[in-house]
Amino acid sequence: LPPSNEEAAPKIIHPGASRVAKFCVDKFKPEVINNNQTLLLHVLSMLQTVLSSFPREDIKSISEHLLSIMTSGNILVRTNCFQTFHALFSSKSENLTAQLVGRLISALYEYRPNRSDFRQILAWITVMKAAHVKLFSLDRDACIQALPQFFDICVNDIWLSDSAEVVAGTSNSLKEILEECLKPLEEAPMFYFATFKKIISMLTKALTAPFGASSNHILVICGVLFEALGRHCGEELEEALTILGQRYDDQSAQRVHIEHAIFAAISSIEISRVLKCIPLTDAQGTMSVKR
């Protein structure tokens, strides 16, 4: 018989893993960072492949050292540290704990680049997206509670970037989080709804802002939001749906994006609620064929 949860078989760790971890830690010393950057970059490149297979304590130790060397101000080193964290969070490692991932998410907020540095901010966004998805697989409750802070930064700061690449990268990360962390929820405990309402409020507010470079992305994200939360939060989504109905114009360049978002709402929210927000008739009760 397979072992029970209480008597789960111990995870097999390569006997050389701790020695490799110790070797890596030795290369994080200030004298190496200052005098042999090439060696340090080789070590970081190696860690992107092997870090996820280290024992838990060694992963924790290496992660702490990565955060430490990221303060050096060296852009190349910092970028490679981001890539190492991304590889760790994207792995299927069973040696990561929800507690460690949660702590790393909190710590990485201290390393958020300015949105004007598009390469660094894209690296940061990608890492944080992978971290939240990993946390969801380990502890759904912790992930749901952590999401509003990331959404707040993306929607109210990074989405305002002048870089189309940054706006697109941010949107893709939000889309993946909605699909990976919210859409799979068949049932939602009551304490999840505080997070749901915060995310809905942020994205609804973005809909009412003057449309700029991020306008199409906002519409796409709203469609994913309807798909993810429509069955849980139909009432809370009414305002966003009403705004989309008011913005709809069959001659608009954004017609297709608005229609796609509304189709997503129809598939997940009660039809009567959709028709309440987007009536098929005008104020005089006349049916509109176009609508």
Side-chain angles (χ1 to χ4, degrees):
L1 293 174
S4 65
N5 290 337
E6 292 78 13
E7 300 174 349
K11 296 178 178 63
I12 299 174
I13 301 294
H14 192 285
S18 289
R19 289 192 176 187
V20 175
K22 184 178 182 302
F23 167 82
C24 294
V25 169
D26 287 340
K27 307 310 170 191
F28 294 149
K29 293 178 179 178
E31 56 268 27
V32 177
I33 296 174
N34 296 329
N35 301 320
N36 199 337
Q37 180 179 301
T38 301
L39 175 59
L40 175 62
L41 293 176
H42 281 307
V43 169
L44 291 173
S45 178
M46 178 183 69
L47 282 172
Q48 292 170 31
T49 304
V50 303
L51 178 57
S52 61
S53 61
F54 284 3
R56 289 179 175 179
E57 285 304 311
D58 288 329
I59 291 178
K60 180 175 179 291
S61 174
I62 293 292
S63 296
E64 290 171 347
H65 280 85
L66 290 176
L67 292 172
S68 177
I69 65 175
M70 286 173 69
T71 62
S72 68
N74 187 303
I75 298 300
L76 195 55
V77 169
R78 178 175 288 206
T79 299
N80 276 267
C81 287
F82 279 142
Q83 291 171 349
T84 304
F85 277 125
H86 182 264
L88 175 64
F89 295 137
S90 300
S91 72
K92 296 181 180 179
S93 174
E94 297 182 350
N95 301 326
L96 267 175
T97 65
Q99 184 180 34
L100 177 59
V101 175
R103 287 181 175 179
L104 288 174
I105 288 174
S106 297
L108 285 167
Y109 279 114
E110 300 297 322
Y111 297 87
R112 174 164 62 103
N114 189 288
R115 69 173 187 246
S116 62
D117 188 344
F118 78 94
R119 288 188 178 86
Q120 289 286 298
I121 196 64
L122 281 173
W124 183 83
I125 293 167
T126 304
V127 169
M128 294 297 278
K129 179 263 296 179
H132 283 87
V133 171
K134 184 65 176 181
L135 183 58
F136 182 79
S137 71
L138 299 170
D139 186 336
R140 290 189 171 191
D141 293 353
C143 175
I144 297 301
Q145 291 178 322
L147 287 179
Q149 184 177 7
F150 183 63
F151 269 79
D152 182 35
I153 289 172
C154 289
V155 173
N156 296 317
D157 180 30
I158 305 177
W159 245 354
L160 303 178
S161 170
D162 294 329
S163 168
E165 191 173 356
V166 170
V167 171
T170 304
S171 302
N172 288 335
S173 291
L174 293 179
K175 180 175 181 290
E176 287 189 43
I177 286 180
L178 288 170
E179 291 177 338
E180 299 291 333
C181 302
L182 295 184
K183 194 173 180 180
L185 296 173
E186 293 293 336
E187 296 182 1
M190 286 303 298
F191 68 91
Y192 281 16
F193 282 81
T195 289
F196 295 166
K197 289 177 181 178
K198 288 178 182 177
I199 292 175
I200 291 170
S201 176
M202 288 180 225
L203 293 174
T204 301
K205 184 179 178 181
L207 270 179
T208 62
F211 273 25
S214 61
S215 58
N216 287 340
H217 294 283
I218 294 171
L219 294 171
V220 170
I221 295 300
C222 278
V224 182
L225 180 70
F226 292 145
E227 292 175 349
L229 295 182
R231 56 189 157 175
H232 301 299
C233 303
E235 182 178 354
E236 289 77 11
L237 290 166
E238 284 185 6
E239 183 180 356
L241 195 49
T242 300
I243 293 170
L244 287 177
Q246 292 169 345
R247 288 189 180 277
Y248 182 76
D249 181 347
D250 65 339
Q251 300 300 316
S252 169
Q254 295 173 332
R255 176 182 63 84
V256 173
H257 295 289
I258 294 175
E259 286 180 352
H260 184 273
I262 294 173
F263 293 157
I266 292 172
S267 70
S268 56
I269 301 174
E270 303 94 329
I271 298 300
S272 58
R273 193 181 296 276
V274 175
L275 291 175
K276 170 188 169 185
C277 299
I278 309 178
L280 299 181
T281 57
D282 59 25
Q284 286 72 42
T286 304
M287 178 69 71
S288 168
V289 175
K290 291 182 179 180
R291 292 183 71 80

